[in-house]
Amino acid sequence: MRLLDPLRFPIGSPHVKKHLSDSERSKLIDQIESAPALLRQAVAGLTDSQLDTPYRSNGWTVRQVVHHIPDSHLNAYIRFRWALTEDFPKIKAYNQDAWAHLADACYGPVEESLALLDALHPRWCRLMRAMSKRDWLSKVMHPEDGLRTCEDFLIIYAWHGRHHIAHIPSSPFHSALEVRNFPIPVFGRFFFGDMDY
Ligand code: NI
């Protein structure tokens, strides 16, 4: 069993499951919808020096974490649109660490990414709430992970927002660190390319 670094994975890994019920899907969409406000709350009042402090040793700074979330979720939104409009489209992976080291992600005001998420998530959630059962099984071909359904992405990205918000010491999920029992098992290899989520 591989173990997760609890500082890097404060809420563990996502629980992948097939064939979600309507209410499970709806709960996950609600989590995506609430992520921008929770992130905003987590960084409220942080100084530049707190934003520029790595959340763990050798980790990204809080500022880079904040900017990474729209990097990822803009890709997610596009992946949904590809899945819904083409047959098994090949999606493009991206090097998330290289993106996190571009100038805007290292030095830009967090408000820019908070505003991006405020604009993106309502539209993304509106799309998801209109999807049929068949739409949820639409697939894309990920270059590293193979075929992924929209349902897989829903689970991944609902987890993803909370995962990164939990990195921020002042976030509502950060206390997950205190209550978690170790070791944390890894559920498959699904999330360990970790290149583009
Ligand atoms: Ni990520």
Side-chain angles (χ1 to χ4, degrees):
M1 179 170 46
R2 281 179 71 186
L3 303 181
L4 291 177
D5 172 353
L7 287 177
R8 192 172 175 196
F9 293 94
I11 64 165
S13 59
H15 293 256
V16 183
K17 106 172 234 207
K18 296 290 175 196
H19 309 299
L20 299 178
S21 67
D22 290 348
S23 88
E24 285 171 322
R25 271 197 300 270
S26 157
K27 232 185 237 174
L28 292 168
I29 295 169
D30 289 348
Q31 287 182 4
I32 290 179
E33 187 165 55
S34 62
L38 290 172
L39 179 63
R40 194 174 274 284
Q41 190 187 324
V43 297
L46 295 187
T47 62
D48 276 338
S49 124
Q50 287 170 318
L51 289 171
D52 291 325
T53 301
Y55 77 90
R56 66 179 169 92
S57 143
N58 297 318
W60 290 339
T61 64
V62 172
R63 190 185 302 279
Q64 285 174 300
V65 169
V66 172
H67 290 311
H68 162 71
I69 298 173
D71 282 356
S72 166
H73 293 190
L74 286 162
N75 273 284
Y77 172 70
I78 298 295
R79 288 170 178 185
F80 270 81
R81 299 184 85 69
W82 272 326
L84 294 171
T85 55
E86 297 182 21
D87 292 329
F88 305 105
K90 278 189 192 157
I91 62 171
K92 176 98 175 63
Y94 72 100
N95 183 335
Q96 62 173 5
D97 198 49
W99 285 37
H101 285 86
L102 294 174
D104 57 336
C106 286
Y107 309 116
V110 290
E111 181 54 39
E112 291 176 353
S113 279
L114 295 174
L116 269 175
L117 293 171
D118 283 343
L120 175 66
H121 279 225
R123 186 167 167 193
W124 182 16
C125 290
R126 182 181 304 281
L127 171 67
M128 289 192 286
R129 290 203 171 98
M131 285 169 62
S132 66
K133 280 199 169 65
R134 195 170 158 196
D135 288 336
W136 282 107
L137 300 179
S138 304
K139 294 181 178 67
V140 299
M141 176 63 81
H142 188 285
E144 287 153 17
D145 298 337
L147 284 175
R148 289 282 170 247
T149 64
C150 285
E151 205 164 80
D152 294 334
F153 283 145
L154 173 63
I155 296 170
I156 292 169
Y157 289 106
W159 166 84
H160 183 261
R162 295 156 64 88
H163 161 73
H164 284 296
I165 294 168
H167 289 146
I168 301 168
S170 40
S171 81
F173 303 128
H174 195 68
S175 58
L177 274 174
E178 290 152 27
V179 299
R180 185 158 293 287
N181 293 317
F182 299 111
I184 303 166
V186 172
F187 299 97
R189 69 163 291 277
F190 196 32
F191 304 98
F192 288 86
D194 203 30
M195 283 298 287
D196 64 341
Y197 298 120

